[in-house]
Amino acid sequence: MYRIQWKLKMKQALGTMIQLRNLKSMSLAPNIWELDDVKRSHLCQLFGGNALKLPSGASFRGDINILLVGDPGTSKSQLLQYIYKLSPRGIYTSGRGSSAVGLTAYVAKDPETGETVLESGALVLSDRGICCIDEFDKMSDNARSMLHEVMEQQTVSIAKAGIIASLNARTSVLACANPIGSRYNPRLSVIENINLPPTLLSRFDLIYLILDKADEETDRRLAKHIVALHFENPNSSQHDVIDLPTLTAYVNYARKHIHAQLSDEAAEELTRGYVEMRKKGNFPGSSKKVITATPRQIESLIHLSEGLARIRFSELVEKSGVIEAFRLLEVAMQQSATDHSTGTIDMDLITTGVSASERMRRENLVLATCSLVLDKLTIGGSSARLMELLEELKKQNLGGAEVHLSDLRTALSTLSAEGLLVVKRI
């Protein structure tokens, strides 16, 4: 009876004036201007999906991992702080000040008994909550390697001082990183911009780029918003937002009592949408195929759909929620996984760090270099100079892309490793 009354009370208090989804996205960090899609994704992360455990023993996480990458001064850290305060079990840490044992667990001696005990780290303490990691790019390699197990298996394995244990770390990871040189280079991939291993980057469900672009109209609106925060203006103040304690109680209740299940329409839409995403990598009249989605994207879509259903206090995932989940995923992929040379989404940029078009260009360069070297050796002579090869390759205009000396060195190294030629310095 209490649950029904509380549920009705929450719906009556929150379902007024504008749509519930827009109301909560406006209520999430209202001092931060716009970033509506990013905020809606964070709402899905706060509410989370359903963890699944099969009779065979296999388990699937229900938590959503999000990475924010962008220029300085784009409110990434402020958004992180707000999510930390709002999360039921939130832990905030900085990449520069975090160690591997600080994130997982460390061995200490009990001051009273003198026995060896295991103390939990940030990831274990944020079990069933969100672990917010600022300055993710400045984290050490040892600390970063601990996240591989946590973000997929959601456990922390410990073998220290005779203590062997596996601790639960069923947490969502929200991280933000600055690009190398403090300014994002759109001509480079996300991996090249923030220098993160592809194996770790691919474990994030959503990767958003928050860039500082110069635009007069946008700059004027942003300036007015910031000035309004410091200068109280009744006309520009936010009235239709949920206060922090109410929103926290809403999240707590939904995570505890609402367990949304996929409807038949939602399941069909997920299947159809995934197939359509995969079709985008097929080019008519060409054997070239690009991976535009992986099975991990299906799991991400399911988690987002379940989170959107929890936001609506619904026990059933509807088709409209799946469509919104596809939209949020496509917005993130268009920003972080777009191959700028072709203009298409290529998941190889996230999973391997090299796009399919770049890989094909490198293969063509290796073949052209091999053919050129064999031609020169056939004409006469037992060697060919590096600069002569470079000039010849530039004349061939391989795929319209310029050939640099570093590209030629890489191609020669590949041919040398295959035993086709020997590279000597004179």
Side-chain angles (χ1 to χ4, degrees):
M1 186 68 182
Y2 171 76
R3 175 185 172 183
I4 296 174
Q5 290 177 348
W6 205 90
K7 184 174 180 179
L8 291 173
K9 184 179 178 182
M10 290 295 295
K11 278 194 173 182
Q12 291 172 358
L14 300 175
T16 57
M17 306 188 94
I18 54 178
Q19 290 184 358
L20 195 57
R21 183 193 69 184
N22 294 332
L23 177 60
K24 286 192 288 297
S25 64
M26 290 170 58
S27 303
L28 187 67
N31 60 306
I32 298 177
W33 184 68
E34 288 195 344
L35 300 180
D36 293 335
D37 290 331
V38 178
K39 290 181 180 180
R40 283 173 187 161
S41 300
H42 285 322
L43 276 174
C44 293
Q45 185 182 36
L46 280 167
F47 285 87
N50 298 325
L52 178 64
K53 191 166 185 179
L54 301 178
S56 61
S59 59
F60 300 91
R61 61 181 172 89
D63 299 297
I64 301 170
N65 302 316
I66 299 178
L67 174 65
L68 305 179
V69 182
D71 299 326
T74 51
S75 305
K76 300 188 301 296
S77 297
Q78 286 191 27
L79 197 54
L80 223 68
Q81 286 278 2
Y82 196 91
I83 298 297
Y84 155 66
K85 294 176 183 177
L86 186 57
S87 175
R89 295 189 65 178
I91 296 293
Y92 181 88
T93 182
S94 175
R96 187 183 293 274
S98 300
S99 62
V101 293
L103 286 174
T104 55
Y106 61 94
V107 176
K109 282 194 174 183
D110 191 294
E112 295 182 358
T113 62
E115 294 181 351
T116 303
V117 294
L118 201 61
E119 297 289 344
S120 301
L123 292 169
V124 180
L125 290 174
S126 59
D127 184 43
R128 298 193 182 279
I130 297 180
C131 184
C132 302
I133 306 175
D134 201 356
E135 297 183 341
F136 191 64
D137 54 305
K138 298 177 181 63
M139 184 179 292
S140 66
D141 292 337
N142 289 335
R144 203 181 287 158
S145 63
M146 296 294 178
L147 291 171
H148 288 80
E149 180 187 0
V150 172
M151 294 178 68
E152 202 60 42
Q153 280 75 40
Q154 294 200 307
T155 57
V156 172
S157 300
I158 301 296
K160 298 179 180 178
I163 299 177
I164 301 175
S166 181
L167 307 177
N168 285 327
R170 296 158 294 185
T171 178
S172 299
V173 176
L174 172 59
C176 70
N178 289 322
I180 299 173
S182 297
R183 185 64 62 181
Y184 191 87
N185 187 351
R187 292 187 296 272
L188 302 177
S189 66
V190 176
I191 292 177
E192 293 171 321
N193 267 286
I194 56 178
N195 195 25
L196 284 176
T199 53
L200 180 59
L201 202 64
S202 62
R203 280 171 166 77
F204 284 98
D205 298 284
L206 299 172
I207 302 173
Y208 282 105
L209 303 184
I210 307 177
L211 306 182
D212 186 9
K213 298 180 180 179
D215 180 76
E216 183 178 351
E217 183 60 29
T218 304
D219 295 341
R220 182 180 290 108
R221 292 165 60 192
L222 175 60
K224 286 183 178 180
H225 175 79
I226 296 175
V227 170
L229 294 176
H230 294 272
F231 177 72
E232 187 64 26
N233 188 347
N235 296 326
S236 61
S237 60
Q238 294 281 353
H239 296 292
D240 303 326
V241 296
I242 308 172
D243 58 276
L244 190 62
T246 305
L247 190 56
T248 303
Y250 190 93
V251 173
N252 281 333
Y253 181 84
R255 288 178 67 95
K256 187 175 181 180
H257 297 289
I258 306 298
H259 304 285
Q261 302 296 324
L262 288 173
S263 63
D264 294 338
E265 288 186 352
E268 291 178 4
E269 182 65 22
L270 279 168
T271 305
R272 187 198 64 78
Y274 177 73
V275 173
E276 289 295 325
M277 288 180 68
R278 295 279 293 189
K279 281 183 180 179
K280 292 179 181 178
N282 299 335
F283 296 93
S286 173
S287 60
K288 177 185 175 184
K289 291 187 177 181
V290 178
I291 303 299
T292 54
T294 65
R296 277 182 175 170
Q297 270 68 59
I298 288 189
E299 294 185 359
S300 301
L301 288 165
I302 293 173
H303 302 156
L304 289 170
S305 303
E306 291 171 346
L308 289 166
R310 277 182 167 177
I311 292 174
R312 295 182 291 102
F313 261 177
S314 173
E315 296 282 357
L316 200 64
V317 176
E318 298 177 355
K319 182 179 178 179
S320 59
V322 174
I323 294 174
E324 175 67 8
F326 269 105
R327 192 189 68 81
L328 292 174
L329 181 65
E330 287 179 358
V331 168
M333 291 173 64
Q334 285 173 359
Q335 293 178 350
S336 59
T338 298
D339 183 3
H340 295 284
S341 61
T342 61
T344 59
I345 294 175
D346 188 355
M347 288 306 299
D348 283 350
L349 279 171
I350 304 297
T351 56
T352 65
V354 181
S355 65
S357 61
E358 175 63 19
R359 189 180 296 108
M360 186 174 295
R361 188 187 73 86
R362 293 178 182 180
E363 291 175 358
N364 292 336
L365 180 60
V366 170
L367 293 175
T369 304
C370 182
S371 176
L372 186 60
V373 170
L374 290 176
D375 289 343
K376 284 188 172 293
L377 295 181
T378 302
I379 294 173
S382 59
S383 64
R385 291 186 176 274
L386 189 64
M387 297 308 298
E388 294 177 359
L389 292 175
L390 182 62
E391 291 300 325
E392 290 290 337
L393 289 171
K394 285 183 177 180
K395 292 178 182 179
Q396 293 184 14
N397 190 23
L398 298 172
E402 185 179 357
V403 180
H404 299 280
L405 184 60
S406 59
D407 298 328
L408 179 57
R409 290 184 186 276
T410 304
L412 291 172
S413 299
T414 302
L415 293 171
S416 177
E418 294 176 358
L420 297 176
L421 53 82
V422 177
V423 179
K424 292 183 178 181
R425 291 188 178 185
I426 300 176

